Amino acid sequence: MNSNYAVPAVALVVVATVLVGAFGLRISRTTSDFYVASRTVGPRLNAAAISGEYLSAASFLGIAGLVLVQGPDMLWYPVGYTAGYLVLLLFVAAPLRRSGAYTLPDFAEARLASQAVRRLAGAFVVGVGWLYLLPQLQGAGLTLTVLTGAPAWLGGVIVAAVVVATVAAGGMRSITFVQAFQYWLKLTALLVPALFLVLAWQGDGAHRHAFDEPATFREQRVVRVDDRLDLKLDAPLTVTVSGTIDGRPHDDDRIRLPAGTHRIEQGTRLTFAKDAPVPAADRGSNGGMSTSLAAGREERPLYATYGLILATFLGTMGLPHVVVRFYTSPHGVAARRTTVAVLALIGGFYLLPPVYGALGRLYAPELALTGDADAAVLLLPERVIGGLGGDLLGALVAGGAFAAFLSTASGLTMAVAGVLTQDVLPSRGVRHFRLGTVLAMAVPLAASMLVGGLPVADAVGLAFAVSASSFCPLLVLGIWWRRLTPPGAAAGMLMGGGSAFVAVAVTMAGFPGTGGLHALLAWPALWSVPLGFLTMVLVSLATAGRVPAGTAAILARFHLPEELRAEVKA
């Protein structure tokens, strides 16, 4: 990619983000402005802001990468991400806004009158927020590396600096305008190049379909292996090698590899001929994590699919950066209208990443070997169109990718900083909120520099699993079941969310790499969500005497429209 165009595009997005954030700063005056924009954000603006922060690195880069590597089965990701808002609309949106809370811990305390449950909810907000922030920073590093060859950590540092400055300066009021602007930027950045890419594909005389098996190289392609991997061949393959294969050094030797598994050492260059099949790559034996979930899908495809569906359908309602935006609506009706608008906005957006994934299988299949499949969106304009047009479209995509990292990271940082300010730091003022903003970003930034990661869509999927197992039971039962007790809520969050968090940690550490146990841990939602619900119900029934006083009045406040509540009070 021509960095002469892409780097200025990224810089322009960063500058525009700062300027839009500065506009929000000018009208941020109170503590309520910082936390919930004084609850005055209308449905259209709020829907664009929610969509802007929700469409993260997983949406912009990760879905295309997964479709490139694993095919149309990965379309469950955008379906699940979108359908999660339908569940949110039906069960949570309006009652959550009527609770009058600022954060999820506020809701827990208002519903259950328990400081212990509040602190536990706060711990899960921070944990889910940090888990979700990590792939945003890693995606930013990947983007800048593809654009300029810069170190992988630099992109994360830039995103962290801009986000901390924007959130600390203007809080919720500021990032509302930033995220709404970035949604439309991201939509444009994917839609315009996609139109040109599809037209170029239609004009291609080969008329090859993306999901023909096996995938083949359209032209001679040189692939450099940056990390040791195992190459799996279903049939013999002739390839030119410069490096080490199966312990034997080669210097531009043309060799014929028999069917089976071959060890490719780091730094080896493989030259594949035109129309050669693209072999499968396995990094699991090297302790890498980039294909660990892919291997589990191959072993237990049905279980993996159901686990993904449940996590994405139910995880959305507990994502801290999404939930906190509903507190900015003027009333419950506005919260519902906001959710309907969000369904339309993100539904339209999610039609685009699969297009890039499908075209990536045709024009950049070697990314499945190098482990850089998430870069397909960034590279396709140059591969398919080329010339000045390809460079300009690539620059537009690069700017949109950085907008994705900035918008999602700002929403997550806002949510985590709000919890840290109210439940950890000694004061709840604006000054301590700014300190909380720095702390909210520092931990995931350090982690992104120290550890590798899963493909961004997979990493975000794990965050959804933890959210679905902890906050979904709390919100659904807290809003719709009057017999929920503080011990029940705490036990359910610990059993459901805690077990999912342990499963996520084990998966990200790469253990176990294969087998039935790996599938259970890699997609925990299928057992951890029912475990959370069941534990909450059983422990609440066993502690029936601990139902908080005034529960009936609290639930009435959740479910009665604001106008009717005012009439009742009068």
Side-chain angles (χ1 to χ4, degrees):
M1 181 179 290
N2 191 338
S3 60
N4 291 332
Y5 298 100
V7 172
V10 170
L12 185 61
V13 169
V14 171
V15 171
T17 297
V18 173
L19 292 178
V20 174
F23 171 76
L25 172 62
R26 293 180 60 188
I27 57 177
S28 291
R29 294 289 180 267
T30 67
T31 300
S32 182
D33 277 334
F34 270 78
Y35 285 125
V36 290
S38 293
R39 307 189 195 275
T40 57
V41 183
R44 285 182 292 182
L45 177 60
N46 210 9
I50 291 174
S51 302
E53 70 176 354
Y54 187 67
L55 298 172
S56 64
S59 300
F60 201 93
L61 300 180
I63 291 173
L66 288 177
V67 170
L68 187 158
V69 175
Q70 299 180 56
D73 288 347
M74 296 300 97
L75 295 179
W76 278 115
Y77 272 97
V79 170
Y81 290 155
T82 305
Y85 276 94
L86 183 59
V87 179
L88 186 66
L89 171 66
L90 294 175
F91 296 107
V92 173
L96 190 63
R97 167 58 188 91
R98 294 182 186 123
S99 71
Y102 282 96
T103 63
L104 276 170
D106 282 344
F107 168 84
E109 183 181 19
R111 171 63 177 86
L112 297 165
S114 170
Q115 281 292 323
V117 176
R118 178 193 178 94
R119 286 191 292 268
L120 183 60
F124 274 101
V125 167
V126 173
V128 171
W130 282 345
L131 188 62
Y132 210 137
L133 269 169
L134 184 59
Q136 313 309 317
L137 301 176
Q138 290 178 333
L142 170 67
T143 300
L144 205 62
T145 299
V146 170
L147 296 179
T148 67
W153 56 265
L154 183 58
V157 170
I158 293 174
V159 167
V162 174
V163 167
V164 167
T166 303
V167 175
M172 182 63 78
R173 178 74 73 180
S174 180
I175 68 170
T176 294
F177 295 108
V178 168
Q179 290 167 342
F181 156 73
Q182 287 170 338
Y183 167 77
W184 295 108
L185 174 61
K186 285 184 283 189
L187 182 64
T188 302
L190 277 191
L191 178 60
V192 174
L195 294 176
F196 285 95
L197 291 173
V198 171
L199 289 174
W201 170 68
Q202 286 291 320
D204 190 338
H207 297 298
R208 203 173 296 180
H209 292 288
F211 300 108
D212 285 344
E213 295 295 344
T216 58
F217 292 98
R218 296 171 56 87
E219 59 187 28
Q220 179 177 298
R221 181 68 63 187
V222 178
V223 177
R224 176 182 171 86
V225 177
D226 293 327
D227 294 302
R228 187 175 65 180
L229 59 82
D230 288 340
L231 211 61
K232 296 182 177 180
L233 301 180
D234 296 327
L237 177 66
T238 300
V239 62
T240 301
V241 181
S242 179
T244 303
I245 292 185
D246 296 331
R248 300 178 186 176
H250 299 273
D251 186 9
D252 286 329
D253 298 333
R254 186 171 177 81
I255 64 175
R256 184 174 175 81
L257 298 174
T261 302
H262 301 273
R263 173 62 56 86
I264 314 296
E265 299 297 335
Q266 181 179 1
T268 299
R269 285 188 299 112
L270 306 174
T271 303
F272 295 90
K274 180 181 178 181
D275 294 325
V278 180
D282 179 13
R283 291 175 178 79
S285 60
N286 187 34
M289 294 182 293
S290 60
T291 59
S292 63
L293 296 192
R297 288 190 186 100
E298 293 175 0
E299 295 174 351
R300 303 287 192 278
L302 193 60
Y303 177 85
T305 299
Y306 284 137
L308 170 64
I309 290 172
L310 192 63
T312 52
F313 276 36
L314 300 183
T316 301
M317 72 174 66
L319 294 178
H321 63 304
V322 171
V323 171
V324 74
R325 290 226 58 95
F326 284 94
Y327 299 138
T328 67
S329 295
H331 42 70
V333 174
R336 282 205 175 100
R337 290 174 179 169
T338 296
T339 310
V340 172
V342 170
L343 278 167
L345 293 178
I346 65 174
F349 181 93
Y350 278 132
L351 296 174
L352 300 174
V355 173
Y356 285 84
L359 293 175
R361 290 173 70 92
L362 292 177
Y363 295 93
E366 77 281 359
L367 295 178
L369 297 179
T370 62
D372 294 327
D374 289 333
V377 173
L378 303 170
L379 297 176
L380 276 174
E382 180 185 30
R383 292 283 179 88
V384 180
I385 298 172
L388 179 61
D391 290 338
L392 292 176
L393 291 174
L396 178 60
V397 170
F402 245 75
F405 311 138
L406 290 169
S407 59
T408 301
S410 62
L412 289 164
T413 303
M414 178 75 211
V416 175
V419 171
L420 292 176
T421 304
Q422 295 195 53
D423 297 306
V424 177
L425 298 178
S427 174
R428 299 187 179 187
V430 171
R431 177 183 173 187
H432 286 81
F433 171 81
R434 289 170 173 157
L435 175 60
T437 301
V438 175
L439 294 176
M441 180 58 74
V443 172
L445 178 61
S448 70
M449 296 180 182
L450 295 175
V451 301
L454 295 160
V456 291
D458 276 338
V460 168
L462 295 177
F464 269 75
V466 176
S467 172
S469 306
S470 53
F471 290 123
C472 174
L474 176 67
L475 288 169
V476 171
L477 295 178
I479 291 172
W480 296 98
W481 192 44
R482 65 182 301 167
R483 300 176 67 180
L484 181 67
T485 66
M493 292 178 67
L494 285 172
M495 290 296 294
S499 60
F501 202 89
V502 171
V504 166
V506 171
T507 300
M508 296 188 75
F511 302 103
T514 57
L517 180 59
H518 167 72
L520 286 172
L521 297 177
W523 291 277
L526 212 55
W527 52 267
S528 59
V529 171
L531 180 62
F533 272 103
L534 184 62
T535 303
M536 279 196 190
V537 170
L538 292 179
V539 175
S540 293
L541 292 176
T543 57
R546 300 284 300 276
V547 174
T551 294
I554 293 171
L555 292 179
R557 189 174 80 221
F558 289 176
H559 295 287
L560 288 177
E562 284 79 0
E563 298 83 358
L564 183 58
R565 281 162 43 194
E567 291 176 5
V568 171
K569 289 181 180 178

